[in-house]
Amino acid sequence: MLCAAAIAAPLALSATLAKAADIVDTAVSAGQFETLVAAVKAAGLVDTLKGDGPFTVFAPTDAAFAKLPAGTVEDLLKPENKDRLVAILTYHVVPGKVMSSDIAGKMTEATTVEGDALTIDAMKDGVTVDDAKVIQADIEASNGVIHVIDTVVLPQ
């Protein structure tokens, strides 16, 4: 009996480690979303994006944030601009898990957590979300999916 427990414990641990990471942990481990992760922390959205979901996140890379005018990110990260930061970040999140195969060949709108609608165009080569191009799709997480975008999209 003791031998079976000794074998079962490491197997259970490896099964836990193999479990898909949530949206936040997936973004952290990717290494290309440091600005996004810092913004999510500053906005107080970590617990939300670690929640059950499912969520679809259109995640701007660090290079996407670098395309914003100088000082924009630093300004948004200030405590007095938290409401604006939350609005921008939640505009990148759609409730539910939307895979690229769900929208292939379609032009549609998706209501974001922020409340406005994103325009998603998957009718031509590649996929665009508002003015951003999806550069990597379908990064699955335990509570949703991440689609990497090359531009920060802004609510109207």
Side-chain angles (χ1 to χ4, degrees):
M1 186 70 109
L2 182 59
C3 184
I7 293 171
L11 290 176
L13 178 60
S14 66
T16 301
L17 294 175
K19 180 183 161 197
D22 61 48
I23 297 263
V24 175
D25 292 341
T26 299
V28 168
S29 67
Q32 62 180 339
F33 303 113
E34 290 180 19
T35 307
L36 177 62
V37 171
V40 165
K41 288 177 181 176
L45 295 173
V46 171
D47 288 342
T48 300
L49 292 175
K50 283 182 151 294
D52 291 340
F55 306 106
T56 297
V57 177
F58 295 98
T61 61
D62 292 333
F65 278 100
K67 293 185 338 186
L68 292 171
T72 301
V73 172
E74 294 78 11
D75 198 46
L76 285 170
L77 293 176
K78 293 178 181 174
E80 61 267 24
N81 295 322
K82 183 177 178 180
D83 289 345
R84 177 81 174 126
L85 180 61
V86 168
I88 291 170
L89 293 174
T90 56
Y91 185 66
H92 289 79
V93 181
V94 173
K97 185 175 182 180
V98 182
M99 303 299 288
S100 59
S101 60
D102 297 329
I103 58 165
K106 300 177 184 172
M107 181 157 187
T108 188
E109 287 191 344
T111 302
T112 67
V113 171
E114 181 267 342
D116 287 340
L118 284 169
T119 300
I120 302 170
D121 184 352
M123 293 190 60
K124 53 184 181 257
D125 290 337
V127 177
T128 58
V129 179
D130 284 353
D131 294 326
K133 182 176 180 179
V134 174
I135 55 177
Q136 185 177 357
D138 299 339
I139 301 171
E140 292 196 65
S142 63
N143 61 345
V145 62
I146 298 172
H147 302 293
V148 182
I149 57 175
D150 69 350
T151 303
V152 177
V153 292
L154 301 172
Q156 298 304 317

